[in-house]
Amino acid sequence: MPARQKKLLFCTAGLLSLACALGTAAAVGSQLWVRGSILCSTGALLVNASGPELHKFIGDIQYGLFSGQRVRQCGLGGRPSQFSFFPDLLRIIPASIHVSVILFCTVLIVFALVGAGFFMFNAFGSPYETLHGPVGLYLWSFISCSCGCLIMILFSSEVKIHHLSEKIANFKEGTFTFKTHSEQFANSFWTILVCSLVHFLNALLIRFAGFEFPFSKSKESGTITGAVDLMY
């Protein structure tokens, strides 16, 4: 492939990695990871609410990795409130999973920036066969893509398996019990998915630039060496 086309591919991959780093950083600070509605089951059972009356007992909740807001309704109007995970909710949430999600988000941002820098270096500098070269570009893209996948898996398990929304809704509630009425992942969660796909796309761009996957060459050389050994 001509050098000009390789530079264009590396520049494109570098800009995509930079956009992923900025998008992940914005997602970490956002409250738009989960949106849903919560039902005050205690109040609804007391008045045997059904149909249109049930809407008077349905509130809203949305949150991210550090904070969120909720509106709890028990038939007498909404009670809006803000909350933060640190240190308020650490006693009721799976703290190890939550901290792991934040940690992998940080790793994703760091390696996306590192990958962007090395893509630009290979575009405008002189690539050489070290971590600055194609092997390193595959490595940064693989680590970033893996971190994005781990973030989605861990956060999904925290929300769905550990019922995070219900734990937040029932925090400091002694009289009423709330249950999740509806729940869906919001924009910031899907931003992480897009970033993971972009890093996978970057690995394909490296391949299109004419560089073989790092392990394929070593496998071929090992096969040739083995055949030579058998000849002797």
Side-chain angles (χ1 to χ4, degrees):
M1 179 177 288
R4 183 173 297 178
Q5 294 183 18
K6 288 183 180 181
K7 287 185 178 181
L8 180 61
L9 288 176
F10 283 141
C11 285
T12 302
L15 292 175
L16 289 175
S17 294
L18 180 60
C20 287
L22 297 177
T24 303
V28 170
S30 172
Q31 294 185 1
L32 297 178
W33 283 71
V34 174
R35 276 180 172 171
S37 58
I38 50 178
L39 171 66
C40 180
S41 58
T42 304
L45 287 174
L46 284 175
V47 299
N48 197 19
S50 61
E53 297 177 350
L54 196 63
H55 291 285
K56 296 181 180 179
F57 298 90
I58 298 177
D60 299 318
I61 186 172
Q62 71 174 39
Y63 55 88
L65 297 181
F66 293 97
S67 61
Q69 55 187 359
R70 60 190 175 186
V71 178
R72 292 172 290 186
Q73 296 197 81
C74 294
L76 299 175
R79 294 181 294 158
S81 62
Q82 301 280 340
F83 60 87
S84 60
F85 285 92
F86 303 97
D88 298 340
L89 299 175
L90 281 181
R91 293 174 296 164
I92 63 170
I93 66 171
S96 59
I97 298 179
H98 199 78
V99 172
S100 297
V101 171
I102 297 174
L103 178 62
F104 281 117
C105 284
T106 305
V107 174
L108 176 58
I109 294 171
V110 170
F111 278 95
L113 291 173
V114 170
F118 283 126
F119 273 117
M120 292 301 181
F121 179 84
N122 280 270
F124 298 104
S126 300
Y128 48 90
E129 294 294 334
T130 62
L131 290 180
H132 299 271
V135 177
L137 297 180
Y138 279 117
L139 177 63
W140 311 134
S141 300
F142 174 76
I143 293 176
S144 300
C145 184
S146 300
C147 286
C149 294
L150 286 173
I151 290 168
M152 291 186 294
I153 292 171
L154 290 174
F155 190 75
S156 299
S157 66
E158 185 180 7
V159 173
K160 299 298 183 180
I161 298 177
H162 294 275
H163 307 290
L164 184 61
S165 299
E166 284 189 8
K167 291 181 178 180
I168 293 173
N170 290 286
F171 179 61
K172 291 184 177 180
E173 277 290 339
T175 305
F176 298 98
T177 301
F178 293 87
K179 292 185 177 180
T180 303
H181 185 261
S182 66
E183 188 178 55
Q184 60 272 346
F185 295 107
N187 298 340
S188 296
F189 179 85
W190 300 118
T191 299
I192 302 297
L193 173 62
V194 172
C195 291
S196 301
L197 295 177
V198 167
H199 288 298
F200 180 76
L201 174 63
N202 284 347
L204 295 180
L205 290 179
I206 302 170
R207 180 65 187 88
F208 291 152
F211 296 108
E212 296 289 343
F213 191 74
F215 301 109
S216 60
K217 187 178 294 185
S218 61
K219 183 177 180 181
E220 291 172 0
S221 62
T223 304
I224 295 172
T225 305
V228 172
D229 292 339
L230 287 174
M231 289 177 64
Y232 291 95

